[in-house]
């Protein structure tokens, strides 16, 4: 009990902070979105009303309890995660149709001479508090200051591991456009991002920015940055299409029939970047198991699958290497082309290198080895 006491106090601290609204990190959007068919009674809704998504207060408490007391010893790496350092010059000299994984769901793409970022998270923690919350396993391959000018940032939803306020504000001077799901852009504007830079889309809406067609497509998830703003903003997956290169970015989603509809409307894709990580059997409505992630890739008619939403933060109870090992085995069984670049490694979207298991470097082979190292 004495060993659990500090964790219980931590749980109480988090719950008190949530109850008084400290986790909202700024006011939630005050606008209404009555024209959206996915909006009603002040909140956004999934296409399937029966989908179990937002955890609510009791679900949040249970999840926090499990994360504090049931965390397996191998949920975090015990050796440094390999990261390839990047420089601005290297990015400027790279050919078009290049992609670099910076961490979690943060991807940097070079398309037709323009740089694009998805869900930029550069802070040390995916949390509203600098002193606690999920901490990075590795530093980003380069800093925001080292990035070249960014044509656009695409943001899937407002959870802390996808929307980093400090990063957005640091990026804003060098970003020309922010493209977000409905409501997320209003949050950015409330933080001080110039409204002229922001465009917000509902599912199935399209825009064209500097020659790139961008479409917001459905996802099955939820939103919010505190207990009082659940589902006040929309969540989305995204299509990026230059005319020569077509990319799918899943954001966060449970498995649903929307992936097949996306594939019918916008596929095939040269690359699908699909959430594969931070899942749990108790969260089927909002996060996919690896088998479902692979099926989502097939549904959208992707040629090459790149698993994302893994390798950077400790957000679930599975071993940190499990998403990589599971999707690698499943892809081999199904004959699916897989891309698993190291953090900071350049990926040629049209000719990706075969998957290399970089996540195994320096890691003990089993839980017993992890336990021995911890002791």
């Amino acid at each position: 009990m004495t060993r659990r006491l500090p964790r219980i106090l931590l749980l109480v601290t988090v719950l008190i902070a949530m109850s008084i609204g400290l986790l909202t990190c700024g006011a939630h959007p005050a606008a209404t979105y009555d024209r959206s068919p996915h909006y009603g009674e002040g909140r956004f809704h999934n296409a399937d009303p029966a989908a179990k998504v937002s955890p609510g207060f009791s679900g949040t408490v249970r999840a926090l309890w499990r994360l504090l007391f049931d965390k397996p010893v191998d949920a975090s790496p015990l050796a440094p995660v390999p990261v390839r350092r990047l420089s601005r010059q290297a990015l400027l000299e790279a050919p078009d149709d290049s992609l670099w994984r910076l961490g979690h769901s943060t991807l940097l793409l070079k398309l037709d001479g323009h740089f694009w970022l998805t869900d930029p998270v550069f802070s040390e923690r995916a949390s509203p508090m600098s002193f606690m919350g999920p901490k990075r396993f590795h530093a980003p391959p380069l800093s925001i200051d080292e990035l070249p000018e960014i044509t656009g940032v695409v943001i899937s939803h407002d959870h802390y591991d996808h929307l980093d306020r400090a990063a957005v504000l640091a990026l804003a001077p060098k970003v020309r456009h922010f493209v977000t799901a409905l409501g997320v852009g209003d949050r950015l504007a409330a933080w001080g991002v110039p409204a002229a830079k922001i465009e917000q889309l509902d599912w199935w809406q399209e825009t064209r920015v500097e020659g790139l067609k961008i479409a917001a497509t459905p996802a099955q998830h939820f939103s919010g940055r505190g207990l009082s703003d659940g589902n006040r903003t929309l969540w989305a997956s995204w299509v990026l299409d230059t005319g020569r290169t077509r990319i799918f970015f899943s954001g966060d989603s449970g498995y649903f029939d929307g992936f097949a509809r996306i594939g019918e409307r916008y596929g095939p894709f040269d690359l699908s970047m699909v959430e594969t990580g931070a899942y749990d059997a108790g969260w089927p409505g909002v996060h996919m198991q690896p088998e479902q992630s692979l099926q989502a890739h097939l549904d959208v008619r992707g040629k090459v699958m790149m698993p994302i939403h893994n390798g950077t933060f400790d957000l679930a109870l599975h071993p940190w290497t499990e998403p990589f090992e599971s999707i690698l085995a499943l892809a081999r069984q199904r004959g699916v082309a897989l891309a698993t670049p190291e953090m900071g490694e350049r990926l040629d979207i049209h000719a990706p290198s075969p998957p290399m298991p970089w996540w195994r470097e320096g890691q003990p082979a089993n839980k017993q080895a992890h336990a021995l190292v911890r002791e």
Side-chain angles (χ1 to χ4, degrees):
M1 180 63 187
T2 56
R3 299 179 72 179
R4 285 193 171 192
L5 185 59
R7 293 184 177 183
I8 293 174
L9 291 175
L10 178 60
L11 176 63
V12 171
T13 300
V14 172
L15 293 176
I16 291 174
M18 293 173 107
S19 68
I20 62 177
L22 290 180
L23 297 192
T24 58
C25 198
H28 29 89
T32 60
Y33 312 97
D34 293 331
R35 293 184 179 180
S36 171
H38 321 296
Y39 185 80
E41 299 181 352
R43 300 182 190 275
F44 287 96
H45 304 277
N46 283 294
D48 179 3
K52 182 180 178 182
V53 287
S54 185
F57 181 78
S58 61
T60 299
V61 173
R62 286 195 299 271
L64 286 170
W65 183 270
R66 291 180 65 205
L67 289 170
L68 285 171
F69 299 116
D70 297 331
K71 180 70 67 175
V73 294
D74 53 0
S76 301
L78 291 173
V81 173
V83 175
R84 299 195 187 188
R85 284 287 302 164
L86 284 169
S87 69
R88 181 182 308 194
Q89 191 61 33
L91 297 175
L92 293 173
E93 293 175 355
D96 281 338
D97 297 322
S98 291
L99 179 151
W100 298 265
R101 190 169 180 211
L102 306 185
H104 199 55
S105 297
T106 304
L107 294 308
L108 176 66
L109 302 96
K110 188 174 185 180
L111 304 171
D112 289 347
H114 297 276
F115 287 98
W116 295 83
L117 272 171
T118 65
D119 290 357
V121 177
F122 285 77
S123 293
E124 186 177 27
R125 294 182 185 273
S127 168
M129 293 161 285
S130 61
F131 59 91
M132 68 180 187
K135 188 176 181 180
R136 300 184 74 99
F137 298 153
H138 63 87
L142 80 172
S143 68
I144 290 175
D145 287 342
E146 293 171 308
L147 284 168
E149 295 298 306
I150 304 296
T151 296
V153 171
V154 177
I155 299 175
S156 65
H157 64 297
D158 68 4
H159 285 157
Y160 284 94
D161 57 323
H162 295 263
L163 180 58
D164 176 357
R165 180 178 182 175
V168 165
L169 294 179
L171 281 164
K174 65 169 56 184
V175 172
R176 279 184 258 168
H177 306 274
F178 288 88
V179 184
T180 78
L182 281 179
V184 180
D186 290 318
R187 203 182 279 285
L188 268 56
W191 292 347
V193 176
K197 290 188 174 187
I198 301 169
E199 185 168 6
Q200 307 182 70
L201 301 182
D202 199 353
W203 294 342
W204 303 119
Q205 288 185 337
E206 300 177 0
T207 187
R208 191 169 288 273
V209 180
E210 306 287 351
L212 179 69
K213 183 169 80 172
I214 304 173
T217 44
Q220 182 173 283
H221 200 55
F222 66 110
S223 68
R225 292 169 75 81
L227 291 179
S228 63
D229 64 346
N231 295 346
R232 300 280 187 179
T233 63
L234 187 60
W235 46 96
S237 57
W238 295 90
V239 172
L240 308 177
D241 186 0
T242 69
R244 190 181 90 88
T245 302
R246 193 175 303 154
I247 299 166
F248 175 69
F249 172 58
S250 74
D252 281 5
S253 182
Y255 181 75
F256 73 130
D257 61 6
F259 291 120
R261 287 183 282 123
I262 293 167
E264 291 168 3
R265 187 159 178 173
Y266 288 108
F269 293 94
D270 298 290
L271 180 71
S272 74
M273 304 182 292
V274 182
E275 174 212 75
T276 314
Y279 48 78
D280 187 87
W283 312 332
V286 295
H287 291 297
M288 294 181 280
Q289 298 287 320
E291 296 86 352
Q292 296 171 317
S293 297
L294 186 73
Q295 188 60 53
H297 161 77
L298 295 172
D299 287 353
V300 300
R301 299 166 62 200
K303 297 177 183 177
V304 178
M305 176 184 177
M306 180 176 168
I308 58 173
H309 203 254
N310 52 46
T312 299
F313 293 110
D314 180 3
L315 298 171
L317 297 169
H318 56 65
W320 87 276
T321 60
E322 182 184 293
F324 298 108
E325 295 292 352
S326 296
I327 200 66
L328 181 62
L330 288 164
R332 286 172 174 169
Q333 291 171 10
R334 301 287 297 274
V336 169
L338 198 67
T340 58
E342 291 183 15
M343 304 298 174
E345 178 183 0
R346 188 185 79 84
L347 178 78
D348 182 333
I349 294 172
H350 290 285
S353 300
M356 296 296 292
W358 56 263
W359 54 88
R360 296 175 186 168
E361 291 184 23
Q363 304 301 325
N366 52 54
K367 291 184 179 182
Q368 289 75 22
H370 277 76
L372 286 173
V373 173
R374 278 199 168 185
E375 292 172 1

